[in-house]
Amino acid sequence: MIGQASSALRRGCFITFEGPDGSGKTTQIARLAERLKTRGIPVVTTREPGGSPGADAIRHIVLSGAAEGLGVETEALLFAAARYDHIRTVIAPALERGAFVLCDRFLDSTRAYQGSAPGLDRAFLEELEAATTAEAQPDLTVILDLPTEISLRRMAERSRTDSKDRFEKDGFAVHEARREAFLAIAAAEPDRCVVIEAVGTLDDVSGRIERAVLVRLGDEIDRAARAGTEATV
Ligand code: TYD
């Protein structure tokens, strides 16, 4: 269990962004971060797998496909190990300093990607989550949703310049199952999750996100803006 980040000490807000490949999370996180910073709120943006030197070392192993042959349980363990280090060294300290932490993928990606792989025992993932993320539960999870056809098209466009990682190479049915898994998580945890339609212009999508964040975390945003820029991040 992670000791340093007891919720009593926690002063910041933890917002995770989830969704299929090509849903535009990275761009939208940068936009929200700018909006919060203009209000004087300290913001830390980070991503998974990775986000800390230890987790970045694991990132290469999982995304290159080097761990694929070891089985989905081992892949899930590697994502969880990366997450544990990321929480301990980056996320929990930033929350304790009062920052808003915006994280590109978190535990729902393990649920949707590893969890939708055939044969993986749900209880195994639950135990992993309990052991690694109990002290860093998201205050809000923004799930960017888009039709799988569009997601695949965006990935194909991107792959002209960037090579596809191990998960992007999967076919339509696998991507569709992941999309459904994210929507099922949102339906099961409506207090934590909000689904945002990720089609339209960048401004359309960022407007939807901003409105949803204000509805869910407006009080925390006002409080953090009043607290000013004293926290160093
Ligand atoms: P990344 O290059 O960060 O892509 P993206 O911009 O889509 O987030 O690759 C992350 C890949 O790793 C992505 O295909 C999802 C997958 N992934 C998992 O399978 N499980 C996890 O727990 C996480 C965090 C990511």
Side-chain angles (χ1 to χ4, degrees), residues 21 25 49 59 63 79 83 105 109-110 113-114 165 167:
D21 294 280
K25 297 180 303 304
R59 177 181 172 91
L63 295 192
F79 280 111
R83 185 161 302 129
R105 296 194 182 282
S109 282
T110 303
Y113 282 69
Q114 284 63 58
D165 70 42
F167 300 98

Side-chain angles (χ1 to χ4, degrees), residues 3-193:
Q4 295 101 315
S6 88
S7 48
L9 287 176
R10 178 164 154 171
R11 293 182 293 122
C13 253
F14 186 28
I15 309 178
T16 58
F17 286 72
E18 301 277 6
D21 294 280
S23 54
K25 297 180 303 304
T26 310
T27 308
Q28 294 299 339
I29 288 171
R31 287 181 159 222
L32 182 64
E34 279 316 305
R35 298 288 290 170
L36 293 170
K37 283 180 191 167
T38 57
R39 297 197 57 183
I41 296 172
V43 178
V44 171
T45 58
T46 187
R47 62 126 192 234
E48 291 203 347
S52 63
D56 278 328
I58 298 172
R59 177 181 172 91
H60 175 69
I61 299 170
V62 281
L63 295 192
S64 66
E68 192 174 353
L70 305 178
V72 66
E73 286 84 1
T74 302
E75 279 186 308
L77 283 163
L78 288 166
F79 280 111
R83 185 161 302 129
Y84 184 80
D85 186 68
H86 186 208
I87 292 170
R88 209 167 47 89
T89 62
V90 175
I91 297 173
L95 291 172
E96 284 175 29
R97 290 198 302 272
F100 271 53
V101 177
L102 310 185
C103 189
D104 190 339
R105 296 194 182 282
F106 194 63
L107 58 85
D108 298 306
S109 282
T110 303
R111 291 187 192 175
Y113 282 69
Q114 284 63 58
S116 63
L120 187 75
D121 181 6
R122 178 77 211 140
F124 179 79
L125 282 193
E126 282 167 9
E127 281 170 30
L128 267 187
E129 271 184 28
T132 53
T133 64
E135 306 293 344
Q137 292 298 307
D139 297 294
L140 176 66
T141 296
V142 176
I143 296 180
L144 294 182
D145 179 55
L146 80 171
T148 301
E149 295 78 6
I150 301 180
S151 165
L152 289 175
R153 204 182 312 138
R154 288 186 186 174
M155 270 187 276
E157 279 159 20
R158 219 162 53 183
S159 70
R160 288 200 211 117
T161 47
D162 288 333
S163 57
K164 285 187 176 176
D165 70 42
R166 172 240 178 291
F167 300 98
E168 289 172 340
K169 285 179 186 151
D170 290 316
F172 183 93
V174 175
H175 284 286
E176 183 71 4
R178 292 169 184 161
R179 179 191 185 197
E180 294 302 330
F182 280 122
L183 293 175
I185 292 166
E189 295 185 57
D191 290 344
R192 171 173 71 88
C193 302

